[in-house]
Amino acid sequence: MSDIEALKKAVPPFQIFDLIPQYAEQGFIDPERIDLLKWAGVYPQRPQEDGFLMMRVRVPAAEFSSATMREVANIAEEYGRGFLDVTDRQAFQFHWLTIQDIPRIFERLEPLGLHPKGACGDTVRAVIASPLAGLDAREIIDVRPLAHAMEGTLTGNPDFQDLPRKFKMSITAVPELEGIHMINDIGFLAHRVNGEVGFDVWVGGGLGAVAHLSKRLGVFIRPEEVVEVGQAITAAYRDHGYRQNRKKSRLKFLIKDLGVEKFREIVENDYLGRRLQDGPAAPVARFGGNDVLGVNPQADGLNYVVVATTVGRIDPTKARVLADLADRYGKGVLRTTAFQNMVIPHVATENVEALSAELAAINLAPKATIRGTTIACTGNQFCRLALTETKARTAALVDHLEPLTLAMDVPFTINLTGCSNACTRYQVADLGFMGANKTDKDGTVHEVYNVHLAGSIGQAQRTGTKLKGAVPAEQLNAYAEAVLADFQANKHAGESFVEYADRVGAEQFTPDAVLGGREAVTA
């Protein structure tokens, strides 16, 4: 039994909420129980010996009020040195917190409806809900009520506080646009079969060092079955998932060993007590690994505006401006997306130009560019596991590439992660960069990036090809620019990068092939 498994058996993980006030009062955390902080969304940040903490906060159904946005900005400013991130699971993340701050922050979050409980740890994480829910005319069903029901039933439920590892869920309802279900432990994807609205269910997705895309359970379930089926699958994982080796404890490994048919049989026989209806696959999203960017029409004649944050980092001043703009031009609500962006819905067409101009003034213009399709993890600025810097480097990369890619007729995805844990999905991007360290003979350590090419959770539904060699951090801009220049110069009209890479072959994109003879450039 691993140390964390022993700890979970000794102390029910959600008991950490009873211990945090004690730790805050005494000014330090019991080192033997520090890992339980994850169940409250809290981690030690780098350098751990300084005692500062980072915190993730779930945003149920990805929707919140402008007043909530202002208070989140205030918390970041008052306690977190002005650092505020939007994560790729639609959460907010704070940094530079102390254990003395945590109880006061909890008190301020509670009336907002934001929840740190279950934001991390071996439990049901935040349920990703479609940011288009209730907005886009192509939507099959508004999934927000179901997302809230799953949050209330599964996330934070003591019955699921001790899972073998973290457990991620998503629910979406625009199948031709969204592909996020491919990388979650459970993904519910709405579609119509013979005129009836229901859900295609996918299980066993997960990335990390060993990536698996999810597999269809082969069912078609009605909306009223979603929460029950979600509970049954989660319980089956809790009871049958592996606990001896944490590297193989995710649901994806259980599905791999059992097969999806056997796993379905266990769920039906042992947890539901009935057989689920068979069903066909939902439609495939060609560019499912991207947000729907820019200004988009709603079913009610209004518009939703997607704001590209630039790798998820947004300072409190801009956050408060966004809240004001949501009040002035929308209905005082905002949303987060699974691609580190934000949405202002309910904007009248006659106000779109004025809103866009005000957003441009704070460098948040709603443009459909590479700025909105590039994501980056926390990196070694704060994360104890990361090997490389990510946020600032990727933001600089976006600034460098954006003017060069404005004429592209298809989206292009860049995901950059500071280690192999895939917090920002490097295996399923057009260009996926995984941070690593390279040590010279003299002991000098250099930051480099391994390249995973042409992965996709859209039409291709595959992980990318890991290329030979690595890109030195100082040549990241040069490498990405050269790949994009080659793509733009030689692609066919409407051809995606996945299709192009398949046509020309991956070998021409190896770091040596692309950077051979080039001088290093400042990243």
Side-chain angles (χ1 to χ4, degrees):
M1 182 182 293
S2 65
D3 290 344
I4 188 66
E5 283 296 318
L7 177 60
K8 289 188 294 181
K9 299 302 181 286
V11 183
F14 286 147
Q15 191 175 318
I16 191 63
F17 286 93
D18 299 324
L19 298 173
I20 283 175
Q22 172 188 326
Y23 297 156
E25 184 175 351
Q26 67 191 26
F28 66 90
I29 303 160
D30 181 348
E32 294 185 359
R33 296 183 176 180
I34 196 167
D35 281 338
L36 291 182
L37 287 174
K38 297 175 185 177
W39 276 257
V42 178
Y43 287 84
Q45 75 173 36
R46 181 191 293 244
Q48 185 170 337
E49 55 269 22
D50 286 356
F52 289 102
L53 305 168
M54 49 193 271
M55 177 195 287
R56 293 182 196 145
V57 180
R58 292 167 28 233
V59 182
E63 188 172 51
F64 52 96
S65 70
S66 56
T68 293
M69 181 81 270
R70 292 187 188 92
E71 182 67 347
V72 166
N74 292 341
I75 291 170
E77 201 164 58
E78 293 172 33
Y79 299 103
R81 302 187 184 181
F83 280 86
L84 177 61
D85 291 340
V86 178
T87 78
D88 64 353
R89 291 198 66 79
Q90 301 177 309
F92 289 118
Q93 185 163 292
F94 304 109
H95 294 280
W96 293 112
L97 311 180
T98 69
I99 188 59
Q100 293 92 333
D101 300 330
I102 301 302
R104 292 193 291 270
I105 295 172
F106 284 173
E107 290 174 1
R108 292 176 65 166
L109 290 172
E110 185 174 3
L112 306 178
L114 302 185
H115 305 285
K117 191 174 187 179
C120 308
D122 298 347
T123 186
V124 179
R125 302 289 184 90
V127 177
I128 286 184
S130 169
L132 313 184
L135 301 177
D136 198 283
R138 293 162 288 191
E139 182 183 52
I140 305 297
I141 183 177
D142 185 347
V143 299
R144 286 175 297 173
L146 291 171
H148 280 294
M150 286 197 290
E151 284 270 0
T153 305
L154 291 160
T155 305
N157 185 336
D159 289 343
F160 303 118
Q161 67 180 310
D162 179 11
L163 300 179
R165 281 291 302 276
K166 57 189 175 183
F167 198 76
K168 300 178 178 181
M169 304 175 67
S170 68
I171 181 164
T172 59
V174 191
E176 65 266 48
L177 299 177
E178 300 173 312
I180 199 71
H181 62 286
M182 293 296 300
I183 54 173
N184 280 278
D185 294 280
I186 310 176
F188 295 97
L189 184 59
H191 65 141
R192 287 189 178 90
V193 175
N194 298 324
E196 182 182 5
V197 173
F199 288 85
D200 190 11
V201 182
W202 295 66
V203 293
L207 299 178
V210 180
H212 291 256
L213 298 185
S214 60
K215 298 180 181 296
R216 290 193 63 244
L217 201 60
V219 302
F220 180 75
I221 65 171
R222 297 182 299 278
E224 59 268 24
E225 295 179 284
V226 165
V227 174
E228 180 189 19
V229 170
Q231 285 181 299
I233 293 171
T234 308
Y237 168 59
R238 176 195 62 204
D239 299 340
H240 295 271
Y242 305 137
R243 293 179 181 266
Q244 298 302 312
N245 180 353
R246 285 184 66 77
K247 293 182 178 180
K248 293 191 174 182
S249 291
R250 293 290 301 276
L251 177 61
K252 60 189 179 184
F253 295 106
L254 182 64
I255 297 291
K256 178 179 181 292
D257 290 347
L258 289 180
V260 71
E261 297 83 5
K262 178 62 177 178
F263 182 73
R264 173 180 170 179
E265 182 182 316
I266 290 171
V267 169
E268 291 173 332
N269 293 341
D270 298 347
Y271 296 90
L272 289 172
R274 70 179 189 280
R275 180 168 173 79
L276 295 170
Q277 179 182 332
D278 292 338
V284 171
R286 185 183 183 205
F287 298 111
N290 293 290
D291 266 342
V292 180
L293 298 171
V295 179
N296 300 273
Q298 294 179 188
D300 60 5
L302 298 175
N303 302 274
Y304 63 92
V305 178
V306 182
V307 176
T309 64
T310 307
V311 298
R313 184 148 286 172
I314 178 168
D315 67 65
T317 299
K318 287 186 179 181
R320 284 189 283 265
V321 172
L322 276 180
D324 293 343
L325 295 177
D327 284 339
R328 192 178 316 145
Y329 295 107
K331 295 183 179 179
V333 297
L334 302 100
R335 298 184 182 185
T336 51
T337 84
F339 300 90
Q340 299 181 333
N341 295 319
M342 298 183 72
V343 181
I344 299 178
H346 313 305
V347 180
T349 300
E350 60 268 24
N351 292 331
V352 165
E353 185 174 350
L355 171 60
S356 298
E358 294 207 44
L359 288 169
I362 57 171
N363 198 30
L364 291 174
K367 297 181 292 185
T369 73
I370 201 165
R371 189 170 300 274
T373 59
T374 299
I375 61 177
C377 73
T378 300
N380 66 9
Q381 181 182 18
F382 297 118
C383 178
R384 295 173 298 162
L385 301 178
L387 301 173
T388 64
E389 201 285 326
T390 58
K391 289 288 191 185
R393 182 169 290 138
T394 310
L397 175 65
V398 169
D399 288 341
H400 180 74
L401 295 177
E402 188 174 43
L404 309 176
T405 58
L406 295 177
M408 288 180 60
D409 61 349
V410 293
F412 190 94
T413 305
I414 299 176
N415 294 354
L416 189 144
T417 300
C419 71
S420 64
N421 285 313
C423 290
T424 39
R425 313 192 282 264
Y426 64 88
Q427 300 102 323
V428 291
D430 291 317
L431 278 182
F433 294 108
M434 187 202 84
N437 290 154
K438 180 181 179 181
T439 305
D440 289 344
K441 292 181 179 179
D442 64 2
T444 303
V445 178
H446 301 275
E447 293 186 5
V448 300
Y449 290 92
N450 297 317
V451 182
H452 291 248
L453 187 83
S456 169
I457 52 175
Q459 188 176 30
Q461 296 188 355
R462 72 184 189 200
T463 56
T465 300
K466 183 179 178 181
L467 303 183
K468 294 178 181 178
V471 178
E474 64 272 17
Q475 293 184 289
L476 188 66
N477 285 11
Y479 175 83
E481 179 183 347
V483 171
L484 278 161
D486 177 279
F487 176 48
Q488 291 187 92
N490 298 296
K491 70 184 291 298
H492 298 154
E495 186 176 31
S496 70
F497 184 74
V498 167
E499 293 163 339
Y500 178 69
D502 286 350
R503 178 162 63 85
V504 303
E507 286 301 311
Q508 75 177 54
F509 300 107
T510 64
D512 284 349
V514 172
L515 295 172
R518 287 175 174 264
E519 294 183 2
V521 296
T522 302

